[in-house]
Amino acid sequence: MEGIGPSPAKVNVLGVAVDKLTLNEALQRVEAFLKEDRLHLIVTANPEIIMLARQDEQFAKILEQADLVTADGIGLVIGARILGEDLPERVTGIDLSSGIFRLAREKGWSFYLLGAAPGVAEAAAAQLVDKYPGLKITGWNHGYFQDSEPILREIEARRPDILLVALGMGRQEKWVWEHGHRLPVKLAIGVGGSLDVYAGRVQRAPELFQRLGLEWLYRLVRQPSRLGRMLVLPVFLWKVLKAAIF
Ligand code: UDP
């Protein structure tokens, strides 16, 4: 993996090939994916995901085979810059899914929402239909299930075009990979905590924080329990520096 050479369209960040594109370009890729009759996976990557891929071979393989890996997280943009590469901008799960919702009304795409605590996906669906009138959400399920079978059956019956999976990083991509052969969708995206934001349970950082690349700090202050997982950030930057120097 570490040997993937940088190509014009991808940046190799510690062995993970991250697509070099803007939000608008990512949305164009989504439109192309929806025209093909097969499952596509989008991973919105951040330094935690890169570090997880370095320890978890299965996850690394999934990232390698994903149809699009976007740079969610300012750490990744900075890391790429240290490596001498420019990622044009952050493409977060929430911005990407919002862009897809806007396009979906015109294109007629339908959705299934999977993940978050009981009640959240349902509340997110209600808020989304309110915000994007006419949006087709065919079903939802919370993310604290033991048995995937009833969910797979429901998705098979409802045949949504797009599946948003919010089970947390790693878990959500593995769920899609494991059950891909049963998923009649054209696109699955791991969206982390986005359903909590759409449902209004968690506030997204104000624009100023987003623009300054400090969204992570806002989230950390609001949810101090995130500190443990954020400790990988200095390790990530250290490894990037080492890779840039040697
Ligand atoms: N979650 C879930 N099932 C689980 C563990 C987590 O549905 O077994 C949900 C959780 O409720 C939250 C989302 O996954 O809505 C993860 O949010 P987080 O902001 O931690 O996203 P990450 O940064 O891990 O992608």
Side-chain angles (χ1 to χ4, degrees):
M1 281 276 290
E2 206 121 4
I4 305 168
S7 76
K10 288 181 194 285
V11 179
N12 177 355
V13 182
L14 300 182
V16 175
V18 180
D19 284 274
K20 208 171 176 175
L21 37 61
T22 61
L23 176 61
N24 274 335
E25 287 163 343
L27 288 168
Q28 285 165 16
R29 296 284 290 275
V30 166
E31 277 198 66
F33 293 162
L34 267 287
K35 286 184 184 144
E36 284 175 0
D37 209 8
R38 70 166 179 94
L39 170 66
H40 301 79
L41 173 66
I42 298 184
V43 180
T44 63
N46 56 19
E48 291 119 281
I49 282 191
I50 305 277
M51 295 308 282
L52 182 64
R54 289 174 71 85
Q55 294 160 8
D56 181 336
E57 214 176 301
Q58 188 203 6
F59 187 49
K61 284 236 152 60
I62 295 175
L63 280 168
E64 211 176 74
Q65 289 174 39
D67 296 274
L68 195 62
V69 178
T70 73
D72 185 341
I74 190 72
L76 215 49
V77 177
I78 294 171
R81 201 164 295 154
I82 294 171
L83 292 165
E85 292 275 357
D86 256 340
L87 285 166
E89 62 183 0
R90 285 178 70 201
V91 179
T92 67
I94 193 137
D95 290 331
L96 186 59
S97 44
S98 298
I100 295 175
F101 292 138
R102 276 192 295 275
L103 271 176
R105 288 189 301 169
E106 174 194 318
K107 307 273 178 196
W109 299 334
S110 59
F111 296 82
Y112 189 95
L113 312 181
L114 174 62
V120 174
E122 189 175 352
Q127 295 285 337
L128 286 168
V129 172
D130 214 42
K131 187 162 179 199
Y132 305 96
L135 192 71
K136 289 189 223 159
I137 299 184
T138 63
W140 50 79
N141 202 92
H142 67 78
Y144 293 84
F145 52 88
Q146 300 297 322
D147 183 7
S148 298
E149 189 56 36
I151 299 169
L152 290 167
R153 291 221 179 115
E154 190 171 68
I155 297 174
E156 281 170 337
R158 310 242 165 126
R159 306 192 71 79
D161 296 302
I162 300 171
L163 171 65
L164 299 187
V165 202
L167 302 174
M169 63 166 191
R171 189 185 279 120
Q172 57 204 18
E173 288 81 12
K174 285 182 180 177
W175 192 88
V176 171
W177 209 250
E178 186 184 342
H179 301 292
H181 61 291
R182 300 266 313 265
L183 296 172
V185 307
K186 293 179 186 142
L187 173 62
I189 312 178
V191 291
S194 301
L195 295 185
D196 296 292
V197 175
Y198 287 128
R201 307 280 167 110
V202 171
Q203 296 301 315
R204 197 170 176 200
E207 287 249 351
L208 179 67
F209 280 76
Q210 292 180 39
R211 256 190 288 124
L212 293 175
L214 291 175
E215 191 162 13
W216 59 274
L217 181 63
Y218 182 88
R219 289 183 85 184
L220 181 61
V221 172
R222 298 288 293 238
Q223 292 169 266
S225 58
R226 298 182 74 87
L227 182 63
R229 53 184 284 174
M230 297 209 55
L231 293 177
V232 301
L233 203 65
V235 183
F236 168 79
L237 286 174
W238 176 245
K239 291 206 179 292
V240 166
L241 273 171
K242 266 186 19 192
I245 293 166
F246 300 111

